[in-house]
Every structure is written in structure tokens, then in C-alpha cells.
């Protein structure tokens, strides 16, 4: 049974994320929608997404980087001109569906709950793999109708997490495909594995484990 040790820093975490993505791509695909979450305050996501795209190219996959808003897409084009050929915003893809290439791996950069409609449309159009990085699709507004809410819930539950890293009070939560969810407790000697779980633990479970 594999035990993945916690990364010592962010660049180590990024390498592990890339390896888990590659292992998933070479594996039997569980789902055409996969996700990774790095739960850190003030994380600069753009360079991480660009490096993932370059990593995919190095491993003979064709990526397409997708930003929820035109501003972020323009900023990426300015700062990383080498990715211009496969750098798009949601609205560009929706306006021109001929830009969708099912052979490509879409890297979706942090779509939020207010991007949900466009993002779901793109995911339904794209027959290939969509990899969502730091997405946050749960809607905090409870007021949406039940049908819409169920549909959103089904969409959210269709994502398979290949990577998750979250610092917690007194520990950390990590998942690296193909391993299970690992809960670590921090001690004076560093972190040690407290428990392995098949499902993502809820806040209450984490609280009990790390109490």
C-alpha cells in the first residue's frame, strides 16, 4: 500500500501533481473530468498552469489552457507568449466551437461558481479530457432552484480528484492518484500519516482525527 509523503515545499508539490496527472493519463481513465487542488493562500496559479501545459507537451500531449475571463487570458498571453496558440478564454470557445479539439487536454484555470454555466457548456462540448485546477464550483447562494441545484451537484460530483493538498490546523490532507486520501497529523518531529480514507473526509471527520 503506497504512502505518499507530504511535499517539503510548493515546487515539490507541483512535481507530484504533474506525475499524478501523467499517471492518470496513462491509466485506464476513470472519468474524462479530473481535478487538482492546491489549497494555499495567495498562490500564484498562472505560472503553475503554464508549467503543467509545458509538462504535457514534453510528454507528447496537446494542452489547451482555458481561463474563465478574457482579462486573465490576455494577461497570460502577455506574460507567456510561448503558449499563445493554445491559450483561450471561456467566451472565445463558446463563440467558436471549431476551436474545440477533442484530442487536446483542456487545463481549466480556477473556474468559480459564477463561471459555472459557460464552463459546464464547454465540458459538455469537449469529448476529451478536462483537467480543472483549483476550481470552486459550489454556489454559496442557496436560492437557486432545486433542478438547477441538482444539476450543478451532479456536475460537481462528476470530477475525479487526482491531486489534493490542503494544510489544516494540526495537520494536512493529501491525495495523489492512484493513492487514497491521506490525513497527516503534525507533531514536533514533522508530519506523520494518521489515517488513510477511500473517500474525501468531511470537516467533522478531520476535526475528530486531528483533535
Amino acid at each position: 500500500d503506497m504512502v505518499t509523503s507530504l511535499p517539503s515545499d510548493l515546487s515539490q508539490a507541483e512535481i507530484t501533481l504533474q506525475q499524478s496527472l501523467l499517471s492518470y493519463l496513462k491509466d485506464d481513465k476513470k472519468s474524462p473530468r479530473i481535478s487538482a487542488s492546491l489549497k494555499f493562500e495567495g498562490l500564484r496559479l498562472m505560472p503553475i498552469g503554464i508549467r503543467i501545459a509545458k509538462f504535457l507537451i514534453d510528454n507528447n500531449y496537446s494542452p489547451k489552457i482555458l481561463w474563465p475571463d478574457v482579462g486573465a487570458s490576455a494577461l497570460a498571453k502577455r506574460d507567456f507568449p510561448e503558449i499563445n496558440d493554445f491559450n483561450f478564454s471561456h467566451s472565445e470557445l463558446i463563440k467558436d466551437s471549431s476551436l474545440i479539439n477533442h484530442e487536446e487536454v483542456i487545463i481549466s484555470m480556477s473556474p468559480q461558481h459564477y463561471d459555472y454555466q459557460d464552463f459546464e457548456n464547454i465540458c459538455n462540448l469537449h469529448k476529451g479530457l478536462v483537467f480543472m485546477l483549483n476550481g470552486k464550483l459550489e454556489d454559496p447562494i442557496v436560492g437557486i432552484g432545486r433542478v438547477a441545484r441538482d444539476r450543478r451537484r451532479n456536475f460537481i460530483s462528476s470530477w475525479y480528484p487526482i491531486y489534493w493538498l490542503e494544510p489544516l490546523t494540526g495537520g494536512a490532507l493529501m491525495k495523489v492518484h492512484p493513492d487514497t486520501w491521506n490525513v497527516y497529523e503534525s507533531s514536533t518531529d514533522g508530519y506523520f500519516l494518521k489515517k488513510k480514507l477511500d473517500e474525501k473526509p468531511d470537516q467533522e471527520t478531520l476535526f475528530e482525527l486531528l483533535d
Side-chain angles (χ1 to χ4, degrees), residues 84-101:
N84 281 0
D85 293 345
F86 49 88
N87 178 18
F88 296 91
S89 65
H90 282 183
S91 55
E92 286 175 292
L93 243 61
I94 285 169
K95 272 198 205 89
D96 183 1
S97 61
S98 72
L99 291 169
I100 290 179
N101 174 349

Side-chain angles (χ1 to χ4, degrees), residues 6 37-41 164-174 184 191 203 206 210:
L6 278 170
S37 295
L38 290 154
K39 300 279 187 179
F40 293 97
E41 290 296 314
W164 186 285
L165 182 59
E166 181 177 7
L168 304 165
T169 308
L173 176 65
M174 182 160 90
Y184 297 86
Y191 288 86
Q203 290 305 321
L206 289 169
L210 298 172

